[in-house]
Amino acid sequence: MTLGLITIELGCDLEVQCAQDTPMLLLMHVHSSRLLDLIGFEQISSEPPSAGTFVLDEEGNRFWRLVAPAGTSTIQLRAHVRDCGLPEPVAPGAPQAPVEELPVQCYPYLRASRYCESDLLAPMAWSLFGATPPGWERVQAICDWVHRRLLFDPSAARSSKTALEAEREGRGVCRDFAHLAVAFCRALNIPARYCTGYMGYTGVEESPEPIDYSGWFEAYLGGCWFTFDARTNQPRIGRVLVGRGRDAADVPILQSFGSHDLNSFRVITIARELEPDQADTTSLGTSSP
């Protein structure tokens, strides 16, 4: 399925409770790679008002840094993003590069990390996928296997769950699907990085679960990074990247440097198809990096 040019309204509302003034990093903003797709400007507000600043890391992730005052704070982000309305690219036959020929920037994504124990899962990975053709076919075989192996179960979510634990338990949420697939890819010398962002139900049947931040991954094949999603296991329309890293530890939605309680959390993703005259006249905005 394909759509015409679409605009996606996205946002996040959260409420936090702090016992004292608490520094925080929030990862809610559109990734720097999608800045040219912004329509107008992102709007972020907090109540009570707190001065915040953007922080850009080496992966292009745009964090909002602020000090939340003692008590209850609400933070709200809204943005509109233009999207081509096409499913994500599929490239069967994309080759896997020999490790010695990889760009140096890929090497961190071959190593085991906090939630992706590729070293411990290596024997299993080679047993399951060692006979598959290297490259795109091997990554897709990993996604197919993880998609069958894990049951999507929001009640099984926990912030400490690793790829190895997800495989043993056989259930989890989108980040667990991504972590397990990433760990298998790295064990097979395929650079893979964890991604998080906004993904609604554009072009697919809606699920009864409320929209949440989604987790997927990218694999380096044929000199490019391609999107894969072991949970949905199909190309999607309107995915909007927020953060990239080794695993979810690098791109938490909220990282506080002190104790806090998250009282409420809501994600918004609404896609609308543009009419031809709207597509011609809609201007793109930029935002602080």
Side-chain angles (χ1 to χ4, degrees), residues 110-121 161-164 175-176 178-184 186 192-194 245-248:
L110 288 175
R111 302 178 190 132
S113 59
R114 166 70 176 84
Y115 294 112
C116 299
E117 311 102 318
S118 51
D119 50 348
L120 301 179
L121 284 162
K161 184 182 286 188
T162 70
L164 184 61
R175 63 173 259 165
D176 302 311
H179 282 155
L180 183 53
V182 165
F184 280 148
R186 292 177 186 171
R193 59 191 184 188
Y194 179 84
R246 292 166 300 174
D247 57 32

Side-chain angles (χ1 to χ4, degrees), residues 66-137:
L66 77 160
V67 177
T72 301
S73 294
T74 58
I75 300 164
Q76 182 182 84
L77 172 77
R78 292 293 183 273
H80 289 80
V81 174
R82 185 190 291 188
D83 189 86
C84 65
L86 298 174
E88 292 149 346
V90 176
Q96 177 179 336
V99 172
E100 65 273 18
E101 297 179 10
L102 287 169
V104 67
Q105 295 87 350
C106 288
Y107 288 123
Y109 300 111
L110 288 175
R111 302 178 190 132
S113 59
R114 166 70 176 84
Y115 294 112
C116 299
E117 311 102 318
S118 51
D119 50 348
L120 301 179
L121 284 162
M124 184 178 188
W126 283 103
S127 174
L128 288 170
F129 310 110
T132 60
W136 183 279
E137 286 75 12

Side-chain angles (χ1 to χ4, degrees), residues 44-289:
I44 188 166
S45 61
S46 61
E47 183 60 42
S50 299
T53 57
F54 278 109
V55 181
L56 183 69
D57 72 8
E58 65 277 5
E59 292 295 336
N61 303 318
R62 301 168 61 233
F63 294 89
W64 184 250
R65 180 171 61 186
L66 77 160
V67 177
T72 301
S73 294
T74 58
I75 300 164
Q76 182 182 84
L77 172 77
R78 292 293 183 273
H80 289 80
V81 174
R82 185 190 291 188
D83 189 86
C84 65
L86 298 174
E88 292 149 346
V90 176
Q96 177 179 336
V99 172
E100 65 273 18
E101 297 179 10
L102 287 169
V104 67
Q105 295 87 350
C106 288
Y107 288 123
Y109 300 111
L110 288 175
R111 302 178 190 132
S113 59
R114 166 70 176 84
Y115 294 112
C116 299
E117 311 102 318
S118 51
D119 50 348
L120 301 179
L121 284 162
M124 184 178 188
W126 283 103
S127 174
L128 288 170
F129 310 110
T132 60
W136 183 279
E137 286 75 12
R138 182 169 287 177
V139 178
Q140 187 57 60
I142 290 170
C143 289
D144 293 342
W145 190 92
V146 173
H147 184 74
R148 294 191 302 267
R149 167 62 182 159
L150 299 187
L151 173 68
F152 181 74
D153 181 2
S155 69
R158 64 177 185 274
S159 61
S160 62
K161 184 182 286 188
T162 70
L164 184 61
E165 292 170 335
E167 193 284 322
R168 288 173 175 170
E169 296 172 18
R171 59 186 61 228
V173 292
C174 55
R175 63 173 259 165
D176 302 311
F177 285 74
H179 282 155
L180 183 53
V182 165
F184 280 148
C185 284
R186 292 177 186 171
L188 297 165
N189 300 324
I190 302 168
R193 59 191 184 188
Y194 179 84
C195 300
T196 186
Y198 298 94
M199 186 180 72
Y201 296 116
T202 307
V204 299
E205 184 178 351
E206 291 195 15
S207 168
E209 292 91 11
I211 293 174
D212 197 349
Y213 276 110
S214 185
W216 61 90
F217 74 102
E218 294 173 344
Y220 189 80
L221 299 168
C224 301
W225 290 97
F226 287 97
T227 296
F228 290 88
D229 190 335
R231 185 206 161 189
T232 62
N233 206 25
Q234 62 176 311
R236 293 292 293 268
I237 299 171
R239 198 189 303 262
V240 179
L241 180 68
V242 170
R244 290 189 181 114
R246 292 166 300 174
D247 57 32
D250 285 347
V251 286
I253 299 164
L254 168 62
Q255 182 178 6
S256 70
F257 301 87
S259 62
H260 76 278
D261 292 318
L262 182 61
N263 294 339
S264 64
F265 176 71
R266 183 173 72 115
V267 174
I268 299 167
T269 304
I270 304 171
R272 299 181 178 89
E273 191 167 4
L274 292 177
E275 298 297 330
D277 57 338
Q278 292 178 299
D280 292 337
T281 58
T282 302
S283 61
L284 294 176
T286 58
S287 184
S288 304

